[in-house]
Amino acid sequence: MTDKMSFVDRHTGETIDLSSTDGLRHMLEAQQADINALFDDVRDLADAVAGLADQLGNRGPDESARGTTPWCWRDLSTEAAEALWTGLTEWVAWFRSRYPVAEQLPACWAQHPELVEELTALHAVWKAAYRDPDAHPTAPAEFHDRWLPGVLVRVKEWGVHCAIEHRPRPDAVYAT
């Protein structure tokens, strides 16, 4: 008694006789369809993982599940704060040399916490407009039309009146 080899196509439920060339071809085509479907699933998963990696890549290494952004001074580790500070001070130096803002933005900006916060926010928007490869082409114009003027108005409203030298505010201004 000879056992007949067969294959059940899981898509159709059809039993295929593997003793014929047509049966073997049908089995291989069915298996190729399964492999193609698995390949598509793996590609979709890889795309999803890459999307998550991109989202996480936009965050600093010590960000928690609370959704802390890489520019939230309050929640940064010492290492992350140092990295942000280096980037911010370099950018502000460039920014002050690129735009005529010296009167609105004194050289001692780093000694005024409110200016640090404003410039951190402005830097984040500038990076999104100029460095994000997915930024809309109008993002730089929006930076100049919307974000830059707003920050300069608020900087003036903060009442920082340092000109040639730094004029510290009393500690009580910042106390809780």
Side-chain angles (χ1 to χ4, degrees), residues 11-162:
H11 299 286
T12 65
E14 179 183 3
T15 301
I16 309 299
D17 177 11
L18 296 179
S19 62
S20 71
T21 305
D22 286 339
L24 287 170
R25 185 174 30 79
H26 184 90
M27 179 193 73
L28 290 174
E29 288 171 350
Q31 288 180 336
Q32 185 62 52
D34 288 342
I35 290 169
N36 289 343
L38 287 171
F39 180 79
D40 290 341
D41 290 344
V42 169
R43 187 180 57 226
D44 292 343
L45 285 171
D47 290 344
V49 168
L52 289 172
D54 286 345
Q55 288 176 356
L56 293 173
N58 290 331
R59 295 183 173 178
D62 92 321
E63 291 171 30
S64 68
R66 339 182 263 262
T68 298
T69 61
W71 50 84
C72 180
W73 289 105
R74 179 177 181 231
D75 297 332
L76 295 178
S77 68
T78 302
E79 180 183 285
E82 287 173 4
L84 178 57
W85 187 254
T86 298
L88 181 63
T89 56
E90 289 172 359
W91 181 79
V92 172
W94 169 84
F95 179 75
R96 289 184 81 239
S97 70
R98 184 75 171 173
Y99 296 88
V101 294
E103 287 184 17
Q104 297 107 315
L105 188 59
C108 63
W109 65 270
Q111 296 176 36
H112 297 278
E114 63 275 34
L115 299 187
V116 170
E117 294 293 341
E118 290 284 0
L119 291 169
T120 300
L122 189 63
H123 184 216
V125 173
W126 180 88
K127 286 196 311 188
Y130 283 93
R131 296 274 172 92
D132 182 350
D134 296 325
H136 194 276
T138 62
E142 291 170 8
F143 171 82
H144 288 99
D145 189 47
R146 180 174 184 185
W147 306 114
L148 177 58
V151 166
L152 293 178
V153 165
R154 286 191 305 276
V155 163
K156 186 176 181 181
E157 290 172 353
W158 284 114
V160 174
H161 301 293
C162 303

